[in-house]
Amino acid sequence: MQSDAQLTWIETHGVGPTEPDHEVPPALVPDGYEAGALLGKGSQSRVYALDPTQPGPRLAVKVVQRGVHTQQARFDREVDLLGRVRHPNLVRLRDVRHAPTSSGLIMDHIDGTPLQTWLERDDPPRRIRLRIFRQVLSAVAALHTAGAVHRDLKPGNILVRDDPEEGPVACLIDLGIAKSAYLDGITLQGATLGTPGFLSPEQIRDAGGVDHRTDLFALGCLLHLILAGQAPFQGPSPAAILGVVALGHREPIRRAAPDVPEWLAELVDALLAREKDDRPENATAVKLWLDQQKPPADRTPRFVAGL
């Protein structure tokens, strides 16, 4: 079940450049730049560095072949969302260019480290980990406000860069399979879009019938990873992981991270509720839970993790 989101450019970003590429159509390369290293690729798109030939910001181009209706529609939707949603923790759209056989999305080249690599390398204290989670949560909330559902929140779609003044800063990228209320749905019937281990149960059942609460489930997976250093759902294969998610089988987070306070463990449980109606209402409710360090007063606990 390969999707274009299963290998994104930031999963290889920061590892070092791969081979230079000479197949980027010149029409997709802005003036003052030249096509550089291949940063990553999915099933139907590739992302390349754009190296400045004169003083200017570092950029990247996501190249999508034209003529494939669903892929072009996803590209158009990603352009639409990045054009409408501006947020400090969301990759910035710079330009859109077209060639006879392909289209290119020009964006900032984020000089950062994939989330999981950053966690393993730096082993930051909990307050820094939670700050990164809050930043991702804020970017997701902005997408939800714009009527979109990301549908593929995962460590490989989050870069953490070091800012001289702010410290670690998260950047969410790749809206390639986002779902927008403003554009027609393009999910293929029977297709499962996303990444095993970060898919919600309802996303596994019906990829086209999800709402913003599927992102809340993925945020719960990310929060578990951020706090415990491992994803909540494990298995020997993608199919096995999907089965574990669908059944809701996982260990309580305090077994993997005993020092996590009860209120925070309860938030992880709530986000990872098997039924979407048992999750927090929206990203604002999640932020309130974090700010108050306790569940909202009107929430009745309805889910407890267990094997």
Side-chain angles (χ1 to χ4, degrees):
M1 50 165 275
Q2 182 183 21
S3 78
D4 190 55
Q6 294 211 3
L7 177 60
T8 57
W9 66 280
I10 69 168
E11 291 178 351
T12 55
H13 183 79
V15 176
T18 58
E19 73 275 12
D21 189 272
H22 302 288
E23 298 181 357
V24 180
L28 303 186
V29 180
D31 293 340
Y33 290 84
E34 60 184 11
L38 173 66
L39 299 175
K41 58 185 178 180
S43 61
Q44 299 180 40
S45 68
R46 296 186 176 222
V47 179
Y48 303 89
L50 292 175
D51 300 326
T53 56
Q54 57 192 36
R58 299 179 66 199
L59 301 177
V61 56
K62 180 176 182 177
V63 180
V64 175
Q65 296 303 308
R66 306 184 73 174
V68 180
H69 172 70
T70 55
Q71 184 60 22
Q72 184 64 44
R74 288 178 190 165
F75 177 90
D76 292 342
R77 187 167 57 191
E78 186 171 10
V79 169
D80 172 77
L81 289 174
L82 287 175
R84 288 193 291 112
V85 183
R86 300 297 292 269
H87 190 278
N89 302 111
L90 187 66
V91 67
R92 180 181 176 186
L93 175 67
R94 294 279 188 165
D95 193 12
V96 180
R97 303 175 73 91
H98 300 283
T101 60
S102 58
S103 296
L105 190 158
I106 313 297
M107 54 191 171
D108 287 340
H109 186 157
I110 307 299
D111 187 13
T113 305
L115 175 64
Q116 187 157 5
T117 302
W118 174 76
L119 290 169
E120 294 170 353
R121 184 193 69 191
D122 292 4
D123 191 21
R126 185 189 301 139
R127 63 179 180 83
I128 300 298
R129 293 170 183 250
L130 286 178
R131 189 171 76 185
I132 290 297
F133 178 76
R134 283 174 175 273
Q135 292 171 356
V136 175
L137 174 66
S138 180
V140 172
L143 290 173
H144 291 177
T145 299
V149 183
H150 189 282
R151 295 199 295 181
D152 196 30
L153 296 171
K154 61 180 181 179
N157 278 342
I158 300 166
L159 280 180
V160 181
R161 62 178 179 85
D162 290 321
D163 186 278
E165 297 181 358
E166 299 181 42
V169 176
C171 183
L172 173 64
I173 78 154
D174 198 345
L175 306 184
I177 67 169
K179 179 179 179 180
S180 172
Y182 293 92
L183 296 173
D184 292 338
I186 54 171
T187 301
L188 297 177
Q189 186 174 5
T192 300
L193 297 177
T195 302
F198 293 85
L199 289 166
S200 66
E202 66 270 17
Q203 202 171 1
I204 296 171
R205 295 191 298 264
D206 178 14
V210 303
D211 61 19
H212 67 281
R213 289 170 293 183
T214 205
D215 284 346
L216 297 186
F217 186 90
L219 284 168
C221 294
L222 287 170
L223 183 56
H224 190 290
L225 172 70
I226 287 170
L227 294 172
Q230 63 186 44
F233 300 100
Q234 305 287 332
S237 67
I241 294 173
L242 291 178
V244 171
V245 173
L247 293 173
H249 288 176
R250 64 178 177 88
E251 290 188 347
I253 187 172
R254 296 186 81 185
R255 189 171 298 176
D259 62 333
V260 170
E262 184 63 29
W263 69 267
L264 197 48
E266 290 177 358
L267 175 57
V268 174
D269 283 348
L271 289 168
L272 293 179
R274 185 178 175 187
E275 299 300 327
K276 61 185 179 181
D277 288 343
D278 292 340
R279 297 172 204 153
E281 182 178 356
N282 50 41
T284 300
V286 177
K287 181 180 183 300
L288 182 63
W289 198 319
L290 288 168
D291 290 343
Q292 296 182 344
Q293 296 191 2
K294 62 181 181 180
D298 60 349
R299 179 177 174 83
T300 301
R302 288 175 286 183
F303 178 83
V304 177
L307 295 176

